[in-house]
Amino acid sequence: MLEVLRLGHRAGRDDRISTHVGLTARQWGADKVTYAGEYDSSMMESLENVIGRWGGSMGVEYEEEWYRHLKAFDGLKIHLTMYGESVGKKLPEIEEELDEDIMVVVGAEKVPRKVYTEVDYNIGVGHQPHSEIAALAVFLDRLRGLKNNFSGAEVEVEPSEQSKLTREK
Amino acid sequence: MLEVLRLGHRAGRDDRISTHVGLTARQWGADKVTYAGEYDSSMMESLENVIGRWGGSMGVEYEEEWYRHLKAFDGLKIHLTMYGESVGKKLPEIEEELDEDIMVVVGAEKVPRKVYTEVDYNIGVGHQPHSEIAALAVFLDRLRGLKNNFSGAEVEVEPSEQSKLTREK
């Protein structure tokens, strides 16, 4: 089970970034995305609408008590941060330790210190100011690659050289 | 020379997404990011401030006549879109054709049809609704990997297991 925990959502200011975090989690095979911070039903609904139409079964949840949720998670916990150890250096070790259950934590601008000490790994996808969306995508891409099958889709893309083709299913 | 062309920026609505596109372009080694759509000096300045402090020499430009700019680009032009051909399938071909000059085009929600026909490749990093930030990051990560050297930085991260360490240079 792969869960993505998105910390510190601020309604309004972060809605598109948090939606992109959810779409990224889904495309790289997360089973669940959990949002913490401000409760934002419209952001979560827009993500659920994508899942309804495009398939798959990723759960979308909100967790007010996010720190308790993080602590209680029984599996490998990885926080993506520019201050962490290099993904290139640590990935082999993470792959060896891979549990059935993985939680990948991505923050908004300010992540509390206790997150750094609670997780098993703080990993930097680069050590530059960066996008948590980019970090999440590249980390999951290197770890697992893209997910290809989204069961129960109403529609799918017909990949093409120059056109925008979809087919209803 | 690697240029990232970000189409269709809308001031206000897209500022954080477009900033993340710029940070992603920088981290994966773009020499220039060009914004089209609405002119947004504050978004571009926030990116320039990062470059000033964290180093590197990526250019940040605005192009009102973006289609002329796209047409005039003399190199390999790749548009990232969920409707395109699979990145896994086409990457070997792209690597063979790699020019010294590459332009990677990412859109906002609606990309005009003429972009699809003007570029050399329309490439899908997955064929699901997705984040252009995630698509850009993973495409560049697979093509070139992370950039490690940012010359002229005032500050850099000291990667660490559990801390947030930086050093002034």
Side-chain angles (χ1 to χ4, degrees):
Chain A
M1 201 279 284
L2 169 62
E3 174 172 351
V4 172
L5 173 60
R6 158 63 162 170
L7 301 179
H9 175 77
R10 295 158 296 182
R13 180 167 159 81
D14 287 330
D15 55 343
R16 297 190 62 221
I17 298 285
S18 290
T19 302
H20 282 219
V21 166
L23 293 174
T24 300
R26 175 178 176 274
Q27 244 208 319
W28 276 270
D31 301 287
K32 183 161 84 165
V33 61
T34 303
Y35 290 100
E38 291 175 29
Y39 180 70
D40 186 347
S41 59
S42 68
M43 182 272 292
M44 290 168 68
E45 270 164 31
S46 75
L47 194 54
E48 278 161 351
N49 289 341
V50 169
I51 297 167
R53 181 152 167 76
W54 290 86
S57 56
M58 183 176 78
V60 180
E61 296 186 10
Y62 172 74
E63 187 63 64
E64 189 169 359
E65 299 284 345
W66 64 269
Y67 185 60
R68 194 165 64 191
H69 183 70
L70 171 64
K71 272 183 85 79
F73 186 82
D74 185 21
L76 195 67
K77 295 178 251 194
I78 297 158
H79 171 221
L80 301 180
T81 163
M82 65 185 273
Y83 300 102
E85 295 181 284
S86 155
V87 62
K89 185 174 142 203
K90 300 302 280 188
L91 199 61
E93 189 179 324
I94 291 174
E95 281 169 338
E96 268 182 31
E97 276 193 44
L98 265 192
D99 210 296
E100 278 193 19
D101 295 324
I102 317 167
M103 177 183 277
V104 179
V105 185
V106 293
E109 278 169 43
K110 190 81 181 163
V111 172
R113 172 93 188 111
K114 61 187 177 184
V115 171
Y116 288 76
T117 50
E118 178 54 35
V119 297
D120 299 295
Y121 289 98
N122 291 285
I123 295 294
V125 179
H127 305 292
Q128 298 291 318
H130 65 209
S131 168
E132 60 268 36
I133 300 162
L136 178 64
V138 166
F139 179 75
L140 293 179
D141 194 61
R142 291 196 188 181
L143 188 70
R144 305 164 41 119
L146 277 160
K147 176 181 164 87
N148 292 314
N149 266 316
F150 292 87
S151 59
E154 294 169 7
V155 61
E156 64 181 20
V157 165
E158 170 74 33
S160 76
E161 273 184 38
Q162 296 195 332
S163 301
K164 293 170 70 165
L165 306 174
T166 55
R167 55 182 163 230
E168 301 287 325
K169 296 187 74 177
Chain B
M1 203 277 284
L2 169 62
E3 174 172 351
V4 171
L5 173 61
R6 158 63 163 170
L7 300 179
H9 175 77
R10 296 158 297 182
R13 182 168 158 81
D14 287 330
D15 55 345
R16 296 192 62 220
I17 298 285
S18 289
T19 303
H20 283 219
V21 166
L23 292 175
T24 300
R26 177 177 174 274
Q27 245 208 319
W28 276 270
D31 300 287
K32 182 160 85 166
V33 60
T34 303
Y35 290 100
E38 290 175 30
Y39 179 69
D40 186 346
S41 59
S42 68
M43 182 273 292
M44 289 168 68
E45 271 164 31
S46 76
L47 193 55
E48 278 162 352
N49 289 341
V50 169
I51 296 167
R53 182 154 167 74
W54 290 86
S57 56
M58 184 177 78
V60 180
E61 296 185 10
Y62 173 74
E63 187 63 66
E64 189 169 1
E65 298 285 346
W66 63 269
Y67 185 60
R68 195 165 63 190
H69 182 71
L70 172 64
K71 273 183 84 81
F73 186 83
D74 184 22
L76 194 67
K77 294 179 250 194
I78 298 159
H79 172 222
L80 301 180
T81 163
M82 65 186 274
Y83 299 102
E85 295 180 285
S86 156
V87 62
K89 187 176 141 203
K90 299 302 279 188
L91 199 60
E93 189 178 323
I94 290 173
E95 282 169 338
E96 267 182 32
E97 276 193 43
L98 265 193
D99 210 296
E100 278 192 20
D101 295 323
I102 317 166
M103 178 183 275
V104 179
V105 185
V106 293
E109 277 168 43
K110 190 82 180 161
V111 171
R113 172 92 188 112
K114 61 187 176 183
V115 171
Y116 288 77
T117 50
E118 177 54 36
V119 297
D120 299 294
Y121 288 98
N122 290 285
I123 295 293
V125 178
H127 305 291
Q128 298 290 318
H130 66 209
S131 168
E132 60 269 36
I133 300 162
L136 178 64
V138 166
F139 179 75
L140 293 180
D141 194 61
R142 292 195 188 182
L143 188 69
R144 304 165 40 121
L146 276 161
K147 176 182 166 84
N148 291 315
N149 266 316
F150 291 87
S151 59
E154 294 169 7
V155 60
E156 65 181 20
V157 165
E158 170 74 35
S160 76
E161 273 186 37
Q162 294 194 334
S163 301
K164 294 170 71 166
L165 306 176
T166 55
R167 57 182 162 229
E168 301 289 323
K169 296 187 74 178

